[in-house]
Amino acid sequence: MQRNQWKTASEQLLKHWLSCGISHLPTHAPQSNSTATQWLTENAACVFQTSPAMDSAESALETNADPIALATLPDTRPLATASPETAPSVRERGPQVQPVAIAALNASPSQTARKSNASIASPPAESLGTPGTWHSKTLDVSSRALQLHELNEQVKACRKCEDIVCRRQQTVFGVGATQARVVMFGEAPGADEDRVGEPFVGAAGQLLDKILAASGLHRPDVYILNALKCRPPNNRTPTELEIENCRPFFESQLEAIQPEYIVCWGAVAVRAVLRSTESVGRLRGKFHAFRGAKVMVTYHPAYLLRNPDAKRLTWDDMKMLIKEMGMQIPTKST
Ligand code: URA
């Protein structure tokens, strides 16, 4: 490397560290030029891929190659939008008292990853079984909002996933009614969500909105969150470690809201909520349990966009959910 290249690279690196909020070098920080080169090489993926030029190239590529780009949204008529007037509104539970302690958020990643691998091999009794109970008392509206706000602050400050944290534009916590009967549980933010800061705002989110509306469940009535709070680079599948790093966050979110129903959209949501590696195909069509909630499993909207034939199956799943909730599918407005 030429002297001036080295200087530019070092400046870029320093800028990057600062933008990531890193003010101290790791303990294994370089002691000599050769180890510095080695250290930079090992960390180059993280350092140099976050330059603005790389970022825009990446999103441009994604936009062009995106199989679920808006313009190519397939016909979603089976899930056509219902009129809001005919849709029963989602019941909200009455306020109760007692704040609840937020789950410990500082477990070391290696500890949690070990735990997760063990439990994936053998799901705990509460998963896939009959509904159990929530670990804490039900919160009133303002305590829920406060607790979720505090959790969100902790999510924003989290830097556990090294591969992700330096590339994220922002964290994506969750959105919706804190007293929702039903929670929509997804995988992780994509490029649109990373930019906007809200889950399911891209093409998959638009299909989700249609599915919800057709079912009589409108976006503001439900709560929407993902297993991961940050976008994995290039939208890759979240790792076990990343799911475990986020577990205290999403479990605390669910515990604060205490929904009656959780819809797991896709296999990653299933891994996170039910700790199961079973396929969506095997788990759908019946209710499972997470603490006090009944869990329904169905295909991820992004999968449905690529495999429109599966929409029928998801529609069957939604009908099962709506019936279980004691609601009715709104009649189609033509
Ligand atoms: N897919 C998800 O699982 N979540 C989002 O927020 C967006 C796309």
mmCIF file with all atom_site columns, all heavy atoms in Angstrom, residues 172 185-190 193 198-202 204-205 224-226 265 300-302, ligand 1:
data_model
loop_
_atom_site.group_PDB
_atom_site.id
_atom_site.type_symbol
_atom_site.label_atom_id
_atom_site.label_alt_id
_atom_site.label_comp_id
_atom_site.label_asym_id
_atom_site.label_entity_id
_atom_site.label_seq_id
_atom_site.pdbx_PDB_ins_code
_atom_site.Cartn_x
_atom_site.Cartn_y
_atom_site.Cartn_z
_atom_site.occupancy
_atom_site.B_iso_or_equiv
_atom_site.pdbx_formal_charge
_atom_site.auth_seq_id
_atom_site.auth_comp_id
_atom_site.auth_asym_id
_atom_site.auth_atom_id
_atom_site.pdbx_PDB_model_num
ATOM   1   N N   . VAL A 1 172 ? -34.565 -0.586  14.198 1.00 0.00 ? 172 VAL A N   1
ATOM   2   C CA  . VAL A 1 172 ? -35.994 -0.633  13.850 1.00 0.00 ? 172 VAL A CA  1
ATOM   3   C C   . VAL A 1 172 ? -36.686 -1.399  14.969 1.00 0.00 ? 172 VAL A C   1
ATOM   4   O O   . VAL A 1 172 ? -36.621 -2.628  15.035 1.00 0.00 ? 172 VAL A O   1
ATOM   5   C CB  . VAL A 1 172 ? -36.195 -1.328  12.477 1.00 0.00 ? 172 VAL A CB  1
ATOM   6   C CG1 . VAL A 1 172 ? -37.667 -1.375  12.114 1.00 0.00 ? 172 VAL A CG1 1
ATOM   7   C CG2 . VAL A 1 172 ? -35.389 -0.615  11.394 1.00 0.00 ? 172 VAL A CG2 1
ATOM   8   N N   . PHE A 1 185 ? -45.060 -10.729 13.863 1.00 0.00 ? 185 PHE A N   1
ATOM   9   C CA  . PHE A 1 185 ? -43.650 -10.927 14.185 1.00 0.00 ? 185 PHE A CA  1
ATOM   10  C C   . PHE A 1 185 ? -42.890 -11.310 12.914 1.00 0.00 ? 185 PHE A C   1
ATOM   11  O O   . PHE A 1 185 ? -43.126 -12.373 12.333 1.00 0.00 ? 185 PHE A O   1
ATOM   12  C CB  . PHE A 1 185 ? -43.535 -12.032 15.240 1.00 0.00 ? 185 PHE A CB  1
ATOM   13  C CG  . PHE A 1 185 ? -42.233 -12.047 15.979 1.00 0.00 ? 185 PHE A CG  1
ATOM   14  C CD1 . PHE A 1 185 ? -42.149 -11.563 17.275 1.00 0.00 ? 185 PHE A CD1 1
ATOM   15  C CD2 . PHE A 1 185 ? -41.084 -12.552 15.380 1.00 0.00 ? 185 PHE A CD2 1
ATOM   16  C CE1 . PHE A 1 185 ? -40.938 -11.584 17.964 1.00 0.00 ? 185 PHE A CE1 1
ATOM   17  C CE2 . PHE A 1 185 ? -39.872 -12.575 16.064 1.00 0.00 ? 185 PHE A CE2 1
ATOM   18  C CZ  . PHE A 1 185 ? -39.810 -12.087 17.359 1.00 0.00 ? 185 PHE A CZ  1
ATOM   19  N N   . GLY A 1 186 ? -41.986 -10.449 12.481 1.00 0.00 ? 186 GLY A N   1
ATOM   20  C CA  . GLY A 1 186 ? -41.232 -10.695 11.244 1.00 0.00 ? 186 GLY A CA  1
ATOM   21  C C   . GLY A 1 186 ? -39.793 -11.092 11.507 1.00 0.00 ? 186 GLY A C   1
ATOM   22  O O   . GLY A 1 186 ? -39.422 -11.471 12.622 1.00 0.00 ? 186 GLY A O   1
ATOM   23  N N   . GLU A 1 187 ? -38.991 -10.966 10.468 1.00 0.00 ? 187 GLU A N   1
ATOM   24  C CA  . GLU A 1 187 ? -37.616 -11.468 10.530 1.00 0.00 ? 187 GLU A CA  1
ATOM   25  C C   . GLU A 1 187 ? -36.615 -10.373 10.927 1.00 0.00 ? 187 GLU A C   1
ATOM   26  O O   . GLU A 1 187 ? -36.061 -10.391 12.027 1.00 0.00 ? 187 GLU A O   1
ATOM   27  C CB  . GLU A 1 187 ? -37.268 -12.036 9.141  1.00 0.00 ? 187 GLU A CB  1
ATOM   28  C CG  . GLU A 1 187 ? -35.853 -12.497 8.986  1.00 0.00 ? 187 GLU A CG  1
ATOM   29  C CD  . GLU A 1 187 ? -35.597 -13.129 7.624  1.00 0.00 ? 187 GLU A CD  1
ATOM   30  O OE1 . GLU A 1 187 ? -36.502 -13.812 7.089  1.00 0.00 ? 187 GLU A OE1 1
ATOM   31  O OE2 . GLU A 1 187 ? -34.500 -12.944 7.086  1.00 0.00 ? 187 GLU A OE2 1
ATOM   32  N N   . ALA A 1 188 ? -36.438 -9.423  10.057 1.00 0.00 ? 188 ALA A N   1
ATOM   33  C CA  . ALA A 1 188 ? -35.453 -8.364  10.296 1.00 0.00 ? 188 ALA A CA  1
ATOM   34  C C   . ALA A 1 188 ? -35.724 -7.229  9.315  1.00 0.00 ? 188 ALA A C   1
ATOM   35  O O   . ALA A 1 188 ? -36.322 -7.451  8.265  1.00 0.00 ? 188 ALA A O   1
ATOM   36  C CB  . ALA A 1 188 ? -34.037 -8.914  10.064 1.00 0.00 ? 188 ALA A CB  1
ATOM   37  N N   . PRO A 1 189 ? -35.278 -6.034  9.630  1.00 0.00 ? 189 PRO A N   1
ATOM   38  C CA  . PRO A 1 189 ? -35.478 -4.929  8.701  1.00 0.00 ? 189 PRO A CA  1
ATOM   39  C C   . PRO A 1 189 ? -34.736 -5.172  7.387  1.00 0.00 ? 189 PRO A C   1
ATOM   40  O O   . PRO A 1 189 ? -33.679 -5.794  7.370  1.00 0.00 ? 189 PRO A O   1
ATOM   41  C CB  . PRO A 1 189 ? -34.847 -3.727  9.420  1.00 0.00 ? 189 PRO A CB  1
ATOM   42  C CG  . PRO A 1 189 ? -34.654 -4.143  10.836 1.00 0.00 ? 189 PRO A CG  1
ATOM   43  C CD  . PRO A 1 189 ? -34.551 -5.630  10.852 1.00 0.00 ? 189 PRO A CD  1
ATOM   44  N N   . GLY A 1 190 ? -35.329 -4.691  6.303  1.00 0.00 ? 190 GLY A N   1
ATOM   45  C CA  . GLY A 1 190 ? -34.645 -4.669  5.003  1.00 0.00 ? 190 GLY A CA  1
ATOM   46  C C   . GLY A 1 190 ? -34.141 -3.254  4.753  1.00 0.00 ? 190 GLY A C   1
ATOM   47  O O   . GLY A 1 190 ? -34.129 -2.418  5.672  1.00 0.00 ? 190 GLY A O   1
ATOM   48  N N   . GLU A 1 193 ? -36.777 -0.505  5.573  1.00 0.00 ? 193 GLU A N   1
ATOM   49  C CA  . GLU A 1 193 ? -37.021 -0.369  7.013  1.00 0.00 ? 193 GLU A CA  1
ATOM   50  C C   . GLU A 1 193 ? -35.824 0.288   7.692  1.00 0.00 ? 193 GLU A C   1
ATOM   51  O O   . GLU A 1 193 ? -35.985 1.105   8.599  1.00 0.00 ? 193 GLU A O   1
ATOM   52  C CB  . GLU A 1 193 ? -37.290 -1.751  7.633  1.00 0.00 ? 193 GLU A CB  1
ATOM   53  C CG  . GLU A 1 193 ? -38.621 -2.384  7.217  1.00 0.00 ? 193 GLU A CG  1
ATOM   54  C CD  . GLU A 1 193 ? -38.622 -2.979  5.814  1.00 0.00 ? 193 GLU A CD  1
ATOM   55  O OE1 . GLU A 1 193 ? -37.520 -3.239  5.277  1.00 0.00 ? 193 GLU A OE1 1
ATOM   56  O OE2 . GLU A 1 193 ? -39.711 -3.186  5.252  1.00 0.00 ? 193 GLU A OE2 1
ATOM   57  N N   . GLU A 1 198 ? -38.982 1.894   10.517 1.00 0.00 ? 198 GLU A N   1
ATOM   58  C CA  . GLU A 1 198 ? -40.232 1.229   10.909 1.00 0.00 ? 198 GLU A CA  1
ATOM   59  C C   . GLU A 1 198 ? -40.301 -0.141  10.236 1.00 0.00 ? 198 GLU A C   1
ATOM   60  O O   . GLU A 1 198 ? -39.904 -0.268  9.067  1.00 0.00 ? 198 GLU A O   1
ATOM   61  C CB  . GLU A 1 198 ? -41.399 2.110   10.438 1.00 0.00 ? 198 GLU A CB  1
ATOM   62  C CG  . GLU A 1 198 ? -42.727 1.669   10.994 1.00 0.00 ? 198 GLU A CG  1
ATOM   63  C CD  . GLU A 1 198 ? -43.850 2.638   10.638 1.00 0.00 ? 198 GLU A CD  1
ATOM   64  O OE1 . GLU A 1 198 ? -43.649 3.871   10.747 1.00 0.00 ? 198 GLU A OE1 1
ATOM   65  O OE2 . GLU A 1 198 ? -44.921 2.155   10.242 1.00 0.00 ? 198 GLU A OE2 1
ATOM   66  N N   . PRO A 1 199 ? -40.814 -1.159  10.945 1.00 0.00 ? 199 PRO A N   1
ATOM   67  C CA  . PRO A 1 199 ? -40.857 -2.479  10.318 1.00 0.00 ? 199 PRO A CA  1
ATOM   68  C C   . PRO A 1 199 ? -41.900 -2.556  9.201  1.00 0.00 ? 199 PRO A C   1
ATOM   69  O O   . PRO A 1 199 ? -42.920 -1.882  9.255  1.00 0.00 ? 199 PRO A O   1
ATOM   70  C CB  . PRO A 1 199 ? -41.235 -3.433  11.463 1.00 0.00 ? 199 PRO A CB  1
ATOM   71  C CG  . PRO A 1 199 ? -41.759 -2.593  12.557 1.00 0.00 ? 199 PRO A CG  1
ATOM   72  C CD  . PRO A 1 199 ? -41.286 -1.182  12.329 1.00 0.00 ? 199 PRO A CD  1
ATOM   73  N N   . PHE A 1 200 ? -41.633 -3.408  8.236  1.00 0.00 ? 200 PHE A N   1
ATOM   74  C CA  . PHE A 1 200 ? -42.575 -3.721  7.152  1.00 0.00 ? 200 PHE A CA  1
ATOM   75  C C   . PHE A 1 200 ? -43.120 -2.477  6.452  1.00 0.00 ? 200 PHE A C   1
ATOM   76  O O   . PHE A 1 200 ? -44.335 -2.245  6.430  1.00 0.00 ? 200 PHE A O   1
ATOM   77  C CB  . PHE A 1 200 ? -43.731 -4.587  7.689  1.00 0.00 ? 200 PHE A CB  1
ATOM   78  C CG  . PHE A 1 200 ? -43.347 -6.030  7.876  1.00 0.00 ? 200 PHE A CG  1
ATOM   79  C CD1 . PHE A 1 200 ? -43.124 -6.550  9.151  1.00 0.00 ? 200 PHE A CD1 1
ATOM   80  C CD2 . PHE A 1 200 ? -43.190 -6.876  6.789  1.00 0.00 ? 200 PHE A CD2 1
ATOM   81  C CE1 . PHE A 1 200 ? -42.756 -7.885  9.330  1.00 0.00 ? 200 PHE A CE1 1
ATOM   82  C CE2 . PHE A 1 200 ? -42.828 -8.212  6.957  1.00 0.00 ? 200 PHE A CE2 1
ATOM   83  C CZ  . PHE A 1 200 ? -42.615 -8.716  8.229  1.00 0.00 ? 200 PHE A CZ  1
ATOM   84  N N   . VAL A 1 201 ? -42.228 -1.681  5.906  1.00 0.00 ? 201 VAL A N   1
ATOM   85  C CA  . VAL A 1 201 ? -42.668 -0.525  5.123  1.00 0.00 ? 201 VAL A CA  1
ATOM   86  C C   . VAL A 1 201 ? -42.333 -0.691  3.633  1.00 0.00 ? 201 VAL A C   1
ATOM   87  O O   . VAL A 1 201 ? -42.721 0.133   2.818  1.00 0.00 ? 201 VAL A O   1
ATOM   88  C CB  . VAL A 1 201 ? -42.056 0.808   5.634  1.00 0.00 ? 201 VAL A CB  1
ATOM   89  C CG1 . VAL A 1 201 ? -42.603 1.177   6.987  1.00 0.00 ? 201 VAL A CG1 1
ATOM   90  C CG2 . VAL A 1 201 ? -40.536 0.740   5.644  1.00 0.00 ? 201 VAL A CG2 1
ATOM   91  N N   . GLY A 1 202 ? -41.603 -1.744  3.279  1.00 0.00 ? 202 GLY A N   1
ATOM   92  C CA  . GLY A 1 202 ? -41.237 -1.971  1.876  1.00 0.00 ? 202 GLY A CA  1
ATOM   93  C C   . GLY A 1 202 ? -42.316 -2.790  1.173  1.00 0.00 ? 202 GLY A C   1
ATOM   94  O O   . GLY A 1 202 ? -43.474 -2.821  1.595  1.00 0.00 ? 202 GLY A O   1
ATOM   95  N N   . ALA A 1 204 ? -42.743 -6.037  0.928  1.00 0.00 ? 204 ALA A N   1
ATOM   96  C CA  . ALA A 1 204 ? -43.325 -7.095  1.772  1.00 0.00 ? 204 ALA A CA  1
ATOM   97  C C   . ALA A 1 204 ? -44.321 -6.480  2.756  1.00 0.00 ? 204 ALA A C   1
ATOM   98  O O   . ALA A 1 204 ? -45.373 -7.058  3.039  1.00 0.00 ? 204 ALA A O   1
ATOM   99  C CB  . ALA A 1 204 ? -42.220 -7.839  2.516  1.00 0.00 ? 204 ALA A CB  1
ATOM   100 N N   . GLY A 1 205 ? -43.996 -5.301  3.241  1.00 0.00 ? 205 GLY A N   1
ATOM   101 C CA  . GLY A 1 205 ? -44.884 -4.613  4.182  1.00 0.00 ? 205 GLY A CA  1
ATOM   102 C C   . GLY A 1 205 ? -46.188 -4.205  3.535  1.00 0.00 ? 205 GLY A C   1
ATOM   103 O O   . GLY A 1 205 ? -47.247 -4.251  4.167  1.00 0.00 ? 205 GLY A O   1
ATOM   104 N N   . ILE A 1 224 ? -46.396 -4.458  15.350 1.00 0.00 ? 224 ILE A N   1
ATOM   105 C CA  . ILE A 1 224 ? -45.508 -5.117  14.384 1.00 0.00 ? 224 ILE A CA  1
ATOM   106 C C   . ILE A 1 224 ? -44.061 -4.998  14.849 1.00 0.00 ? 224 ILE A C   1
ATOM   107 O O   . ILE A 1 224 ? -43.603 -3.893  15.179 1.00 0.00 ? 224 ILE A O   1
ATOM   108 C CB  . ILE A 1 224 ? -45.647 -4.476  12.979 1.00 0.00 ? 224 ILE A CB  1
ATOM   109 C CG1 . ILE A 1 224 ? -47.123 -4.450  12.553 1.00 0.00 ? 224 ILE A CG1 1
ATOM   110 C CG2 . ILE A 1 224 ? -44.821 -5.233  11.948 1.00 0.00 ? 224 ILE A CG2 1
ATOM   111 C CD1 . ILE A 1 224 ? -47.369 -3.787  11.203 1.00 0.00 ? 224 ILE A CD1 1
ATOM   112 N N   . LEU A 1 225 ? -43.390 -6.126  14.888 1.00 0.00 ? 225 LEU A N   1
ATOM   113 C CA  . LEU A 1 225 ? -41.973 -6.105  15.270 1.00 0.00 ? 225 LEU A CA  1
ATOM   114 C C   . LEU A 1 225 ? -41.228 -7.205  14.532 1.00 0.00 ? 225 LEU A C   1
ATOM   115 O O   . LEU A 1 225 ? -41.848 -8.077  13.921 1.00 0.00 ? 225 LEU A O   1
ATOM   116 C CB  . LEU A 1 225 ? -41.795 -6.268  16.779 1.00 0.00 ? 225 LEU A CB  1
ATOM   117 C CG  . LEU A 1 225 ? -41.966 -7.661  17.392 1.00 0.00 ? 225 LEU A CG  1
ATOM   118 C CD1 . LEU A 1 225 ? -41.334 -7.709  18.756 1.00 0.00 ? 225 LEU A CD1 1
ATOM   119 C CD2 . LEU A 1 225 ? -43.407 -8.053  17.486 1.00 0.00 ? 225 LEU A CD2 1
ATOM   120 N N   . ASN A 1 226 ? -39.936 -7.152  14.600 1.00 0.00 ? 226 ASN A N   1
ATOM   121 C CA  . ASN A 1 226 ? -39.081 -8.170  13.991 1.00 0.00 ? 226 ASN A CA  1
ATOM   122 C C   . ASN A 1 226 ? -38.241 -8.859  15.060 1.00 0.00 ? 226 ASN A C   1
ATOM   123 O O   . ASN A 1 226 ? -38.014 -8.287  16.137 1.00 0.00 ? 226 ASN A O   1
ATOM   124 C CB  . ASN A 1 226 ? -38.117 -7.522  12.996 1.00 0.00 ? 226 ASN A CB  1
ATOM   125 C CG  . ASN A 1 226 ? -38.801 -7.123  11.703 1.00 0.00 ? 226 ASN A CG  1
ATOM   126 O OD1 . ASN A 1 226 ? -39.510 -7.918  11.095 1.00 0.00 ? 226 ASN A OD1 1
ATOM   127 N ND2 . ASN A 1 226 ? -38.597 -5.889  11.285 1.00 0.00 ? 226 ASN A ND2 1
ATOM   128 N N   . TRP A 1 265 ? -44.295 -14.643 10.929 1.00 0.00 ? 265 TRP A N   1
ATOM   129 C CA  . TRP A 1 265 ? -44.200 -14.586 9.466  1.00 0.00 ? 265 TRP A CA  1
ATOM   130 C C   . TRP A 1 265 ? -42.845 -15.149 9.052  1.00 0.00 ? 265 TRP A C   1
ATOM   131 O O   . TRP A 1 265 ? -41.826 -14.468 9.132  1.00 0.00 ? 265 TRP A O   1
ATOM   132 C CB  . TRP A 1 265 ? -44.354 -13.144 8.984  1.00 0.00 ? 265 TRP A CB  1
ATOM   133 C CG  . TRP A 1 265 ? -45.717 -12.575 9.280  1.00 0.00 ? 265 TRP A CG  1
ATOM   134 C CD1 . TRP A 1 265 ? -46.082 -11.872 10.385 1.00 0.00 ? 265 TRP A CD1 1
ATOM   135 C CD2 . TRP A 1 265 ? -46.899 -12.685 8.467  1.00 0.00 ? 265 TRP A CD2 1
ATOM   136 N NE1 . TRP A 1 265 ? -47.414 -11.534 10.312 1.00 0.00 ? 265 TRP A NE1 1
ATOM   137 C CE2 . TRP A 1 265 ? -47.931 -12.013 9.146  1.00 0.00 ? 265 TRP A CE2 1
ATOM   138 C CE3 . TRP A 1 265 ? -47.180 -13.279 7.225  1.00 0.00 ? 265 TRP A CE3 1
ATOM   139 C CZ2 . TRP A 1 265 ? -49.232 -11.915 8.639  1.00 0.00 ? 265 TRP A CZ2 1
ATOM   140 C CZ3 . TRP A 1 265 ? -48.466 -13.183 6.721  1.00 0.00 ? 265 TRP A CZ3 1
ATOM   141 C CH2 . TRP A 1 265 ? -49.477 -12.514 7.419  1.00 0.00 ? 265 TRP A CH2 1
ATOM   142 N N   . HIS A 1 300 ? -43.766 -15.932 5.075  1.00 0.00 ? 300 HIS A N   1
ATOM   143 C CA  . HIS A 1 300 ? -43.354 -14.527 5.099  1.00 0.00 ? 300 HIS A CA  1
ATOM   144 C C   . HIS A 1 300 ? -43.890 -13.814 3.853  1.00 0.00 ? 300 HIS A C   1
ATOM   145 O O   . HIS A 1 300 ? -43.877 -14.392 2.760  1.00 0.00 ? 300 HIS A O   1
ATOM   146 C CB  . HIS A 1 300 ? -41.824 -14.457 5.129  1.00 0.00 ? 300 HIS A CB  1
ATOM   147 C CG  . HIS A 1 300 ? -41.320 -13.096 5.464  1.00 0.00 ? 300 HIS A CG  1
ATOM   148 N ND1 . HIS A 1 300 ? -41.329 -12.066 4.554  1.00 0.00 ? 300 HIS A ND1 1
ATOM   149 C CD2 . HIS A 1 300 ? -40.814 -12.585 6.613  1.00 0.00 ? 300 HIS A CD2 1
ATOM   150 C CE1 . HIS A 1 300 ? -40.836 -10.976 5.127  1.00 0.00 ? 300 HIS A CE1 1
ATOM   151 N NE2 . HIS A 1 300 ? -40.523 -11.272 6.374  1.00 0.00 ? 300 HIS A NE2 1
ATOM   152 N N   . PRO A 1 301 ? -44.368 -12.566 3.992  1.00 0.00 ? 301 PRO A N   1
ATOM   153 C CA  . PRO A 1 301 ? -44.876 -11.854 2.814  1.00 0.00 ? 301 PRO A CA  1
ATOM   154 C C   . PRO A 1 301 ? -43.872 -11.791 1.665  1.00 0.00 ? 301 PRO A C   1
ATOM   155 O O   . PRO A 1 301 ? -44.266 -11.836 0.494  1.00 0.00 ? 301 PRO A O   1
ATOM   156 C CB  . PRO A 1 301 ? -45.171 -10.446 3.353  1.00 0.00 ? 301 PRO A CB  1
ATOM   157 C CG  . PRO A 1 301 ? -45.370 -10.625 4.810  1.00 0.00 ? 301 PRO A CG  1
ATOM   158 C CD  . PRO A 1 301 ? -44.539 -11.793 5.228  1.00 0.00 ? 301 PRO A CD  1
ATOM   159 N N   . ALA A 1 302 ? -42.583 -11.685 1.973  1.00 0.00 ? 302 ALA A N   1
ATOM   160 C CA  . ALA A 1 302 ? -41.584 -11.649 0.886  1.00 0.00 ? 302 ALA A CA  1
ATOM   161 C C   . ALA A 1 302 ? -41.583 -12.975 0.131  1.00 0.00 ? 302 ALA A C   1
ATOM   162 O O   . ALA A 1 302 ? -41.429 -13.001 -1.095 1.00 0.00 ? 302 ALA A O   1
ATOM   163 C CB  . ALA A 1 302 ? -40.199 -11.354 1.453  1.00 0.00 ? 302 ALA A CB  1
HETATM 164 N N1  . URA B 2 .   ? -39.259 -8.317  6.330  1.00 0.00 ? 1   URA B N1  1
HETATM 165 C C1  . URA B 2 .   ? -39.338 -8.477  7.661  1.00 0.00 ? 1   URA B C1  1
HETATM 166 O O1  . URA B 2 .   ? -39.322 -9.592  8.158  1.00 0.00 ? 1   URA B O1  1
HETATM 167 N N2  . URA B 2 .   ? -39.442 -7.408  8.411  1.00 0.00 ? 1   URA B N2  1
HETATM 168 C C2  . URA B 2 .   ? -39.486 -6.177  7.921  1.00 0.00 ? 1   URA B C2  1
HETATM 169 O O2  . URA B 2 .   ? -39.582 -5.251  8.688  1.00 0.00 ? 1   URA B O2  1
HETATM 170 C C3  . URA B 2 .   ? -39.414 -6.036  6.529  1.00 0.00 ? 1   URA B C3  1
HETATM 171 C C4  . URA B 2 .   ? -39.298 -7.114  5.746  1.00 0.00 ? 1   URA B C4  1
#
